[in-house]
Amino acid sequence: MQNTGKYSKVIAGTMTWGSWGKQLSKHGMIELMEHCLENGLTTFDHADIYGDYTTEADFGKAFAESGIDRSQIQIVTKCGIQMTSGRDNRLKHYNYSKDYIVWSAEESLRKLKTEYLDLFLLHRPSPLMHPSEIGEAVNHLLENGKIKQFGVSNFTPSQVEMLESVVKVEANQVEFSLTHTAPMYDGTFDDCIANKRLAMAWSPLGLVFREENAQTVRIHKTLSQLGKKYGVEESEVLLAWMLKHPAVPRPVIGTTTKERITSSAKAVQLDLELQDWFALLEASQGQEVP
């Protein structure tokens, strides 16, 4: 079994902490970190691109002043996406050269003001990625203690298998929710279970609270019934639905609202009855299972 137990069951996503969202002050970030820890969210998910390459540094300054023991939290970040905002690129693309991967990890360490990253992910697969080159970079970072574990994000099982020919891939963070169930059927979660990979899910609430369409109307009807049955918020039911899957995909929640963080943390304790789980799947698909 890989060492995936150290990551919290619900993960705090930092994408909207900085200039891409709430523009939290240093004090505001410290408060939010402390609130996450109080509610059992010890893992913080970053990417170098967040805030046009600024949010890692904002978080790092806050963390350095927070007094929080580094061993009490896990820091995840990602590399590879080259944007035109925040960097001098002509167009958006990906870079997974050995030198770039090593430089990017070291840049994230510097910004986050930490000596190691618990988990370092390639953010999106590139058609030009060469496994041996990636393997050299990752093994260099592992051997030098700069990263503890290596993983990917938005990779297909075949892409993961290709990388595994040269380096151990210990996590895959993908889009997954009741309105985006593909990882349950396209082999992504099968691969995570079979190879004991940490599964992480971005956008875990999907479109349920963002769009009104035939699917979300059906889901809300079932959610309302189950929320009353279990005496919890509807968002808790959605996260509990996700966590019941055998891959135990850790939801990466994007909220900066303390009440929602507290509510999300409670989902870990909610064990949906089998038929209630399938009632939500049926609501998502619009028909009973075959």
Side-chain angles (χ1 to χ4, degrees):
M1 176 69 76
Q2 295 305 320
N3 185 18
T4 57
K6 67 177 180 177
Y7 302 102
S8 53
K9 282 280 179 69
V10 178
I11 293 172
T14 63
M15 188 172 78
T16 62
W17 286 33
S19 67
W20 279 6
K22 294 294 182 181
Q23 302 181 3
L24 294 172
S25 65
K26 183 160 56 178
H27 178 69
M29 283 199 181
I30 292 170
E31 269 196 357
L32 204 54
M33 285 180 212
E34 290 171 344
H35 185 77
C36 286
L37 293 179
E38 285 165 14
N39 285 275
L41 279 70
T42 59
T43 305
F44 296 88
D45 180 76
H46 289 268
D48 57 350
I49 62 170
Y50 293 166
D52 296 335
Y53 303 95
T54 65
T55 301
E56 282 182 325
D58 292 340
F59 182 96
K61 287 170 190 166
F63 173 65
E65 286 191 22
S66 69
I68 294 168
D69 185 340
R70 176 66 179 89
S71 67
Q72 300 304 305
I73 69 168
Q74 303 82 46
I75 295 178
V76 181
T77 198
K78 315 175 195 76
C79 81
I81 298 178
Q82 302 297 310
M83 301 200 314
T84 54
S85 51
R87 282 192 181 162
D88 187 21
N89 292 313
R90 280 188 294 113
L91 77 173
K92 188 178 180 185
H93 62 286
Y94 308 120
N95 186 347
Y96 290 124
S97 67
K98 177 185 175 181
D99 287 349
Y100 177 76
I101 292 171
V102 171
W103 175 85
S104 189
E106 290 174 345
E107 187 75 352
S108 288
L109 289 170
R110 183 182 67 78
K111 289 180 175 178
L112 289 162
K113 298 192 183 298
T114 181
E115 293 181 356
Y116 65 93
L117 300 167
D118 294 274
L119 180 60
F120 186 53
L121 308 177
L122 304 186
H123 203 154
R124 286 193 177 273
S126 168
L128 293 179
M129 60 188 174
H130 203 295
S132 62
E133 190 156 0
I134 290 169
E136 282 182 33
V138 171
N139 284 320
H140 169 80
L141 293 168
L142 286 166
E143 287 162 10
N144 286 278
K146 293 180 179 180
I147 67 174
K148 299 293 187 186
Q149 291 183 297
F150 167 71
V152 295
S153 184
N154 305 300
F155 276 52
T156 66
S158 65
Q159 289 165 336
V160 174
E161 186 181 9
M162 176 180 74
L163 277 185
E164 282 243 284
S165 65
V166 293
V167 66
K168 179 65 185 162
V169 179
E170 302 206 56
N172 194 2
Q173 182 179 135
V174 296
E175 181 180 7
F176 178 59
S177 66
L178 190 56
T179 58
H180 186 88
T181 59
M184 294 198 302
Y185 301 108
D186 65 12
T188 300
F189 285 165
D190 299 341
D191 167 72
C192 288
I193 294 167
N195 294 288
K196 298 179 172 61
R197 267 185 257 290
L198 173 69
M200 304 163 76
W202 59 268
S203 195
L205 300 181
L207 301 176
V208 175
F209 301 109
R210 292 212 306 263
E211 289 186 15
E212 185 174 331
N213 55 42
Q215 182 190 43
T216 58
V217 167
R218 290 192 307 267
I219 289 171
H220 274 294
K221 186 177 177 184
T222 306
L223 270 183
S224 176
Q225 295 164 353
L226 294 179
K228 288 171 186 163
K229 174 178 176 176
Y230 292 98
V232 298
E233 300 280 337
E234 292 183 6
S235 60
E236 288 176 50
V237 178
L238 287 173
L239 297 183
W241 180 86
M242 171 182 295
L243 288 163
K244 194 173 178 72
H245 190 278
V248 198
R250 264 88 160 162
V252 180
I253 62 170
T255 184
T256 56
T257 306
K258 290 179 180 176
E259 294 75 19
R260 287 185 191 158
I261 290 169
T262 302
S263 173
S264 298
K266 292 177 184 171
V268 175
Q269 310 300 327
L270 177 58
D271 184 17
L272 294 178
E273 291 177 16
L274 182 66
Q275 292 187 56
D276 289 339
W277 190 92
F278 277 97
L280 284 164
L281 182 64
E282 183 178 292
S284 172
Q285 296 180 338
Q287 59 193 29
E288 61 181 24
V289 294

